[in-house]
Amino acid sequence: MSDIPATALLEIHTSALAGMGSVPKHFARWVALAADEDYPDADLSEELFHSRLVDGDEALTALWSRHLTAWDFAEEPRWAIDIPARTDERRVAVYDRLRFGSDLRKALDDAVPVAKIPGPTVITRQFTPWYTPERAAARSFYWTSYEQKLRAKDWSDAAIASLDEASRAVVERLTDPEQPAARQAKGLVVGYVQSGKTANFTGVAAKAIDAGYRLVIVLGGTLNLLRRQTQRRLDMELIGQENILRGADVSDLDSLVGVDYIGDDEDWPEFVRHGGRPSALGAFDIERLTTRDNDYKSLAQGIRALEFEKREPTRPLHDPANLHHAAARILVVKKNKSVLTKLVKDLKQIQGLLGELPALIIDDESDQASVNTLDPKKWEQGSTERTAINGLLSQLLKLLPRAQYVGYTATPFANVFIDPGDDEDIFPSDFLISLPRPAGYMGAQDFHDLDSDVPQEERTYATSQEKAHIRGIYESTDDRLQEAMDAFVLSGALKLYRADHGVPDGPFRHHTMLAHQSVRKDDHADLALRINSMWHQAGYSSSAGHERLAALWTSDFAPVSEARASDLPAPATYEELRPYVSAARQRIGSGGQPVIVVNGDSDRYFDQLDLDFEGTSNVWKILVGGTKLSRGFTVEGLTVTYYRRTTQQADTLMQMGRWFGFRPGYRDLVRLYIGREEPFGRDKYADLYEAYEAICRDEETFREQLAQYAAVVDGQPQITPMQVPPLVAQHLPWIRPSARNKMFNAELVEVRSPGRPIEPASYPVNNAALKRNTDRWRPLLDSFRPGPVSFSNPPDNSSSLTRTFEALTGTVSHSDLVGVLSQLEWERPGHFAPHLTYLSQLDGTLAKVDDWLLISPRLAASTRIDASILGSLPLSLVRRSRQTGKTSFGRIASVEHRTAAQRLIDEASSTHVTRPSSSARVSPTTGVVLLYPVVEGDSHSDVHAVVRNGTADPAKIVMAFTLIPPASAVSGDRRLVRFRAKNSRYADEATVPAATA
C-alpha cells in the first residue's frame, strides 16, 4: 500500500462521498470502490485520513465539512429517525453509519464542530409532501449555482445548510407545480430587522424555479432604489450573466445595447456564471421582464413575453413533459399602486395560459404597514394604503390560480395577524416560518442585557452589552452629541487601522453615523446645520481635538475592544492611531460636507440625494433623519447611532432598530447614544432604551412561544397559522383593529406551562382594584414563616461567583392558590384567563399539583424597604415601572430569583440532583410562586411614599407574581395550547363577520 498525494486522496474522498448521495454509508467500502480504477494501491487507512486532518489539509477538511454539516442538518432522515438535527447524538449516528473509529471521530469533531444552532420554527397546517430530497436533488441547477455563489462569498457550511433548511421549509409547503389541480398556498416568513431576508427568498426562488415554478413576481420595496437593489441582487446571485446577456457578445458593443451592468457596474465579474446558456446545459433559461433600471411598465413584446413553448401542445404547461423545458420569467416590481395596477391590467389580456402557469409571488415588503406605531389612530390611518395594495394582490392571485404567495417580514407582529380588515386573501393560512437569528447578527441580545443575572454593580464591558455599546443621554450628561461624533471619527480610524493590519476591509467600505432626534423635517435641517458647524469647529487636526479623541480612546474604545475583540489588531497607544484619525477625517469630510439629510420617502427625493451604497466606492458620512426612510433601506456600515426624541412622541419605537445588522470586524466599535430621560406627555420622561427593550422582549417571548407550540402532538400541529392572531393580541393589547365588521375566528382558550414560568403583567391601574386584589392575597400571606431561607445560584456563563439571596417562604394548597387567582382583577379582561383555565385543571383533572411554595424575596439590605401588608409579616417592597405607552409592566421577577425558582422545579423533576439550590426543596407535585409587593414608580422615594409606620398602603401595592408549575403538570399528549373557533361553521376561515359569532 503506497502513500498518496493530497490531491489524489481528495479526489478519492470526493468520489466516495458523491457515490453515497445524501445518506452516510460504510466509508471503507465506498472509498475502496472510488480508488479501485485509478489508485488501486493507495493508502486508504483511517490513520492516513486522521493525520491529514490533524496536519490541516484545508481542501480535505472543507470537503468533509460540507458533507458532515449536510448530514447534521438533515431533517428526519430515514437513517436517523428520532435523532434531532444539529446535536452530538446526530453526529454519532453519522459516524456509526460511516463506521469510523474513535480517533478519526475526534479529529473530525475538532476540524468540523457540530453547529448547534436552532432551526426555523414552523407553524403549519397539514400538507401533502411532494418536495422530497430525491426530487430536490434531481432538479437543482439554480440552487446549486446559488450555493456556489454563497461559498464564494465566504458563507460557512453551517450558514448555507441553515439557509438550505429554511428555504426548503418554505418550498415544500407550496403546491406541487406539476399537480393537475390548481391550489394556492399562502405563507409568511419572519426574519429579523436587517438580517438577510433577501438571501432566504433568493434561495426560495432558486428552489421553486428548479421545481417548476415558471413565473416569479418579487415585490421589492416602495422605492425605485429598493427595487433596483433587489433586482441587482437576484441578477447577480441567481439569474446570472448568461441569462442577462441572452446570447449577446460582450466584445460587440452593438449587441450590448439595452443590456444593464456592462461597463457601469464594477461588480459585473462577480455575477454568477453558469458556464453557458442554461438551456444548452440541460437546464432552462430565466428571462427577465424587469431590469435594473426599468421597473414594470408593460409586458415587453406584449403578450408574447408570457408565451411558453410546449413540447407537448395538447398537454397543459404544468405537465412535466412541458414544464421542465420552458424558460422561467422573473419580475421585480415596486410595491406601488400604479405599477401593480398596470401589471394586473396586462395579465387580464392573457387569460387562458394563466390557469396553467405555476407562479410564485414573493412579497419582500409585507410588513410595510405593520405595527410601527403605538398610536391606534395612526394604525387606523395606515389601513387605507394597505387596503389598496392588498386589493391588487388579491386580483393578482385571482388571475393566477396556480400562484403561491409568500410574505417576508422583520417582525412576528405582522399586520396580517393584527387586523382582520387586512384582506384575508393574503392571510398566511398555510404556514408561518420564523427564521433563526443568524450567526454574526447584532440584534436585541447584543444591545440589551435581556437575561443577565450578573448584578448591575458587577457588570463589565465583557459581561454587559449595555456597558459595552450603550451610551445614555441624561439631563446630567449634556447631549453628548460632540462625543458621539468623536466616537464616529475614532471608530473610523480604528477600521482603517485594522484594514492596514490584515483585517479584510470589505466591511469597512462604508462607515456611517445616524443622528435622529425629531420627526420634523425642519428639525432635521437644524440638526444637520448644528452637526456641520460642530464638525468644522471640532479641531480634529488640532492638539485639542487629538486630546479629546485620545481621552475617549483611553476611557471607552480601548477597554471595550480589549474585552470584546482581543483577537483583532489594536494600537498600543493613541499616537499609533493618530495617522488613521487624519485619514478618517478626510474621508468623512470629503466634498466639504460630512452630513447628509435623509428624511424623504419618494423616488424623486432619493434620486436627488445620490446616496447609493452599491454604486459608490465609499460612503463615510453622518446621516440625519431616520424614521421617514422606507423599510428595507439599509444604512450600510452603521457604527454610531445618536437617537433622541425632543418631541413628546414615543409611537414609532419599532423603527428604532436600524442599529441592528451584521457588523463583521467592528462589532466592538458599535455605539448607541440614546435618550434615557426624554420628554414624554405632560411632566413625564421616557427612557427610550428601556422602551425599546420592552418591545424586543415582547418579540422574543412571542418567538419562544411559537417555538414551543410548533411541536407536533399525535401527528397533528398544536397550532396553525389561523390561530396565531389571538397570541399576537396578548402582546399588543393597545392595537385596535380597524375592521369593525370582521374579527379573527380563533380564540385562545388555554395555555399550559409545565415547568415553565407564567408571568402576567397587565395589573390594574385603578387604586380601588389594586386594594381589592391585595385583600384577596391577604389570607395566603399568613403562610410565610418568620425566618428567611437562603437561596443560591452556582457560577455559570454570566458570573464566576455563587450568587445568594434570602427570602421568606411558605406553603399553600393548590385549591387555596387557585381560589385567589380566580378572583383577581386585571387591566385587560381575559388577560390571565387562558392560564387560569390550565391551572384550574391541576386538581387531578389534567394533572395533579398538591401545593405551592410561596417565595417572597428580600432585597439587599442597602436598598430594602420592608413593610407589613394588611397586618402580615414585613415583606420587601420592590419597585417596577409600566412600559412606555402601555399599561403592562416589563419583567416582574428578577433573573436571579427566577433562576433559583426554576432550579427548584428542575431539581424536583430530575433524578440526578447533585447540589440543592437552597435549603428549600419541592416535591415533583409542588409548584413555585415568586410573590412581589410592587410599588409603581421611578425612584426609591416612590417606595418610601407608600409606607407609613411600617405599613404599606394596600391601594398602592400591586401584588405581582411569577408562577412555575411542576414539570409533571401536563396531560399525556403533551399539548401546550388550545384554541376554539368563535364560529365553528367557518372553522377553516381566518376571519368571520363580527355578527356571526
Side-chain angles (χ1 to χ4, degrees):
M1 195 170 284
S2 62
D3 198 3
I4 183 171
T7 53
L9 187 66
L10 179 66
E11 181 186 333
I12 294 169
H13 278 222
T14 301
S15 176
L17 290 166
M20 291 183 198
S22 60
V23 179
K25 299 174 183 174
H26 189 177
F27 185 67
R29 290 180 182 173
W30 283 89
V31 79
L33 187 64
D36 185 51
E37 288 276 332
D38 297 324
Y39 304 99
D41 299 324
D43 181 357
L44 304 177
S45 67
E46 283 194 10
E47 290 75 18
L48 177 65
F49 184 9
H50 176 275
S51 69
R52 293 284 169 85
L53 289 172
V54 172
D55 291 343
D57 186 323
E58 292 184 4
L60 191 64
T61 300
L63 172 70
W64 277 92
S65 174
R66 284 198 294 276
H67 286 272
L68 286 174
T69 304
W71 291 325
D72 288 344
F73 275 74
E75 290 183 72
E76 300 179 1
R78 293 190 303 274
W79 50 268
I81 294 173
D82 296 332
I83 302 178
R86 300 177 297 281
T87 60
D88 292 331
E89 293 77 14
R90 170 63 69 82
R91 180 64 71 85
V92 168
V94 170
Y95 291 149
D96 287 347
R97 298 272 309 182
L98 295 167
R99 304 191 191 180
F100 282 165
S102 58
D103 288 346
L104 183 55
R105 293 182 185 213
K106 184 178 186 310
L108 282 167
D109 281 344
D110 290 342
V112 188
V114 177
K116 296 175 182 177
I117 58 178
T121 295
V122 181
I123 304 296
T124 181
R125 68 179 180 188
Q126 290 184 302
F127 64 100
T128 303
W130 64 273
Y131 190 65
T132 62
E134 294 76 20
R135 183 160 170 185
R139 301 187 189 280
S140 61
F141 182 87
Y142 284 101
W143 166 254
T144 300
S145 177
Y146 182 48
E147 187 179 356
Q148 290 169 351
K149 176 63 181 173
L150 295 178
R151 291 193 194 285
K153 291 173 66 177
D154 293 327
W155 276 48
S156 69
D157 290 320
I160 292 172
S162 181
L163 176 63
D164 185 9
E165 178 184 24
S167 55
R168 182 173 62 250
V170 174
V171 174
E172 69 184 358
R173 286 168 175 79
L174 307 179
T175 303
D176 182 352
E178 299 176 4
Q179 180 177 302
R183 179 186 173 275
Q184 293 183 331
K186 294 156 191 170
L188 184 70
V189 179
V190 180
Y192 287 81
V193 175
Q194 298 178 172
S195 67
K197 289 179 298 171
T198 308
N200 184 275
F201 74 65
T202 303
V204 167
K207 290 181 175 180
I209 289 170
D210 283 334
Y213 282 91
R214 287 299 174 261
L215 176 64
V216 176
I217 301 171
V218 179
L219 305 177
T222 57
L223 294 170
N224 282 335
L225 171 74
L226 303 179
R227 192 210 69 81
R228 281 198 304 267
Q229 284 179 358
T230 303
Q231 178 83 53
R232 182 178 182 273
R233 182 86 170 267
L234 289 171
D235 285 343
M236 174 187 274
E237 300 185 352
L238 173 64
I239 295 170
Q241 291 188 6
E242 292 86 355
N243 284 320
I244 293 170
L245 292 170
R246 301 191 66 186
D249 184 351
V250 180
S251 62
D252 181 0
L253 294 180
D254 292 335
S255 71
L256 296 176
V257 174
V259 177
D260 38 10
Y261 304 115
I262 306 291
D264 67 354
D265 192 314
E266 63 184 34
D267 292 328
W268 171 252
E270 304 303 318
F271 279 52
V272 161
R273 277 177 281 196
H274 300 296
R277 289 291 290 273
S279 55
L281 300 174
F284 55 90
D285 297 337
I286 295 176
E287 296 181 11
R288 300 182 305 153
L289 302 185
T290 55
T291 64
R292 179 192 63 185
D293 300 320
N294 292 306
D295 193 355
Y296 183 81
K297 293 184 174 65
S298 63
L299 285 176
Q301 303 95 41
I303 294 173
R304 282 185 302 145
L306 278 180
E307 283 184 352
F308 290 83
E309 182 180 342
K310 295 182 181 180
R311 287 205 171 185
E312 298 287 342
T314 59
R315 298 185 186 181
L317 177 63
H318 58 75
D319 188 286
N322 289 322
L323 192 61
H324 298 293
H325 301 285
R329 271 71 165 180
I330 288 187
L331 302 86
V332 182
V333 301
K334 196 163 56 170
K335 193 169 181 180
N336 170 282
K337 184 178 176 183
S338 63
V339 173
L340 291 176
T341 300
K342 280 187 284 188
L343 178 59
V344 166
K345 180 182 176 184
D346 285 355
L347 288 176
K348 283 180 178 177
Q349 301 174 37
I350 298 175
Q351 295 300 334
L353 169 73
L354 300 185
E356 303 177 9
L357 177 59
L360 172 62
I361 298 173
I362 293 174
D363 186 353
D364 186 29
E365 288 296 338
S366 68
D367 62 341
Q368 184 62 32
S370 65
V371 192
N372 66 339
T373 174
L374 306 187
D375 184 339
K377 291 180 181 177
K378 293 192 177 184
W379 165 252
E380 292 189 26
Q381 290 166 7
S383 67
T384 305
E385 177 66 13
R386 292 198 307 276
T387 301
I389 296 294
N390 291 345
L392 289 163
L393 284 174
S394 298
Q395 290 187 56
L396 260 183
L397 290 165
K398 286 184 175 71
L399 287 168
L400 296 162
R402 292 178 180 273
Q404 320 294 302
Y405 173 86
V406 182
Y408 280 78
T409 172
T411 171
F413 300 141
N415 52 286
V416 77
F417 292 133
I418 292 164
D419 198 336
D422 276 6
D423 202 300
E424 59 266 32
D425 283 348
I426 62 164
F427 186 91
S429 51
D430 290 276
F431 60 87
L432 162 65
I433 295 177
S434 178
L435 299 177
R437 184 170 176 263
Y441 176 72
M442 285 191 81
Q445 293 93 331
D446 302 284
F447 290 92
H448 300 269
D449 298 323
L450 292 182
D451 292 305
S452 174
D453 52 8
V454 179
Q456 191 78 37
E457 63 276 8
E458 295 177 20
R459 294 180 187 178
T460 65
Y461 290 133
T463 62
S464 169
Q465 311 295 355
E466 182 178 349
K467 281 189 72 73
H469 301 293
I470 307 305
R471 303 294 174 259
I473 302 168
Y474 301 88
E475 286 189 345
S476 60
T477 61
D478 75 41
D479 66 5
R480 299 187 81 167
L481 182 56
Q482 179 67 61
E483 182 188 326
M485 197 161 69
D486 289 350
F488 179 54
V489 173
L490 203 54
S491 57
L494 285 161
K495 287 182 181 181
L496 295 177
Y497 178 91
R498 289 175 181 179
D500 215 21
H501 289 76
V503 178
D505 64 354
F508 307 154
R509 172 181 169 186
H510 306 302
H511 178 59
T512 51
M513 170 178 167
L514 180 62
H516 174 81
Q517 65 177 29
S518 170
V519 295
R520 295 177 61 241
K521 291 188 178 183
D522 289 349
D523 291 342
H524 294 166
D526 291 344
L527 180 60
L529 184 62
R530 184 173 166 226
I531 292 175
N532 208 32
S533 299
M534 288 176 68
W535 174 266
H536 292 293
Q537 296 168 18
Y540 287 123
S541 56
S542 70
S543 57
H546 282 296
E547 281 179 20
R548 207 173 58 244
L549 291 176
L552 185 61
W553 180 78
T554 302
S555 66
D556 186 336
F557 281 85
V560 171
S561 295
E562 183 179 359
R564 300 222 156 212
S566 57
D567 57 327
L568 292 175
T573 64
Y574 176 76
E575 284 305 309
E576 192 180 342
L577 184 64
R578 187 166 175 156
Y580 299 94
V581 168
S582 177
R585 174 183 59 79
Q586 290 171 15
R587 283 200 185 192
I588 297 165
S590 64
Q593 180 62 275
V595 183
I596 300 176
V597 177
V598 186
N599 61 8
D601 52 9
S602 68
D603 286 324
R604 181 178 299 173
Y605 177 86
F606 275 93
D607 289 343
Q608 293 173 346
L609 189 62
D610 194 30
L611 179 63
D612 183 0
F613 287 108
E614 290 186 343
T616 307
S617 296
N618 300 102
V619 177
W620 282 49
K621 295 295 175 189
I622 301 169
L623 309 182
V624 171
T627 55
K628 276 292 185 181
L629 285 176
S630 171
R631 271 183 173 81
F633 182 89
T634 301
V635 180
E636 299 285 355
L638 182 58
T639 309
V640 177
T641 303
Y642 183 85
Y643 200 98
R644 300 193 66 189
R645 276 296 172 84
T646 52
T647 55
Q648 295 182 4
Q649 299 182 48
D651 62 308
T652 51
L653 289 168
M654 295 298 285
Q655 280 278 30
M656 289 168 57
R658 293 196 176 279
W659 47 84
F660 291 177
F662 295 95
R663 307 286 181 255
Y666 63 100
R667 290 171 69 96
D668 58 306
L669 307 182
V670 173
R671 297 291 184 273
L672 169 59
Y673 287 81
I674 189 166
R676 307 294 303 260
E677 294 175 341
E678 297 297 296
F680 171 63
R682 182 178 297 175
D683 302 323
K684 289 186 178 180
Y685 291 88
D687 184 329
L688 296 181
Y689 177 69
E690 284 192 356
Y692 193 63
E693 179 177 314
I695 289 178
C696 291
R697 195 183 291 282
D698 269 349
E699 284 204 0
E700 287 307 305
T701 301
F702 184 58
R703 290 177 196 266
E704 290 169 8
Q705 273 188 311
L706 292 179
Q708 285 180 58
Y709 304 154
V712 173
V713 170
D714 293 337
Q716 299 286 324
Q718 290 189 71
I719 178 175
T720 67
M722 300 281 195
Q723 294 160 337
V724 170
L727 288 179
V728 172
Q730 282 212 317
H731 292 271
L732 304 177
W734 64 93
I735 293 296
R736 295 288 176 266
S738 60
R740 301 288 181 236
N741 59 342
K742 290 182 181 177
M743 64 181 181
F744 288 116
N745 197 14
E747 181 179 11
L748 180 62
V749 175
E750 182 180 359
V751 174
R752 300 175 182 174
S753 306
R756 299 184 65 90
I758 301 170
E759 186 172 273
S762 185
Y763 292 95
V765 173
N766 178 272
N767 286 350
L770 289 177
K771 183 177 185 307
R772 289 193 293 271
N773 278 355
T774 306
D775 287 338
R776 289 160 183 146
W777 273 103
R778 176 63 189 86
L780 300 191
L781 303 186
D782 285 338
S783 68
F784 284 121
R785 293 177 284 273
V789 172
S790 178
F791 291 82
S792 64
N793 290 317
D796 56 21
N797 293 335
S798 63
S799 174
S800 59
L801 304 174
T802 295
R803 287 93 64 208
T804 63
F805 66 92
E806 290 188 336
L808 297 183
T809 62
T811 303
V812 298
S813 71
H814 176 70
S815 58
D816 284 350
L817 178 66
V818 170
V820 170
L821 297 179
S822 60
Q823 297 178 62
L824 296 179
E825 298 174 49
W826 302 93
E827 187 65 24
R828 287 161 48 203
H831 166 67
F832 191 58
H835 300 287
L836 188 59
T837 300
Y838 161 63
L839 293 167
S840 299
Q841 298 176 80
L842 300 184
D843 58 358
T845 307
L846 180 76
K848 187 75 169 77
V849 173
D850 294 321
D851 47 26
W852 294 78
L853 176 68
L854 289 189
I855 300 175
S856 177
R858 301 178 75 177
L859 303 187
S862 59
T863 57
R864 189 163 76 229
I865 300 175
D866 289 346
S868 173
I869 298 172
L870 298 173
S872 73
L873 286 173
L875 303 178
S876 275
L877 306 186
V878 300
R879 178 173 54 84
R880 298 286 186 267
S881 55
R882 299 186 194 255
Q883 298 175 36
T884 304
K886 299 167 68 174
T887 58
S888 55
F889 288 89
R891 170 161 281 177
I892 296 296
S894 79
V895 175
E896 201 69 54
H897 302 157
R898 193 152 148 176
T899 300
Q902 188 69 57
R903 290 188 72 227
L904 286 174
I905 293 294
D906 294 345
E907 288 169 358
S909 63
S910 171
T911 56
H912 304 288
V913 180
T914 56
R915 179 180 172 187
S917 60
S918 72
S919 54
R921 299 289 298 277
V922 298
S923 78
T925 56
T926 299
V928 175
V929 182
L930 289 167
L931 186 61
Y932 295 89
V934 167
V935 177
E936 183 181 349
D938 298 316
S939 68
H940 208 52
S941 60
D942 293 324
V943 183
H944 275 290
V946 306
V947 180
R948 179 172 294 179
N949 299 325
T951 299
D953 182 349
K956 301 289 180 63
I957 294 294
V958 180
M959 294 300 289
F961 60 88
T962 297
L963 307 170
I964 310 183
S968 60
V970 68
S971 62
D973 65 5
R974 317 299 294 177
R975 182 174 293 279
L976 297 176
V977 65
R978 282 197 307 118
F979 299 85
R980 67 169 165 241
K982 294 174 185 172
N983 188 328
S984 58
R985 290 168 53 200
Y986 303 99
D988 291 331
E989 298 295 325
T991 61
V992 293
T996 67

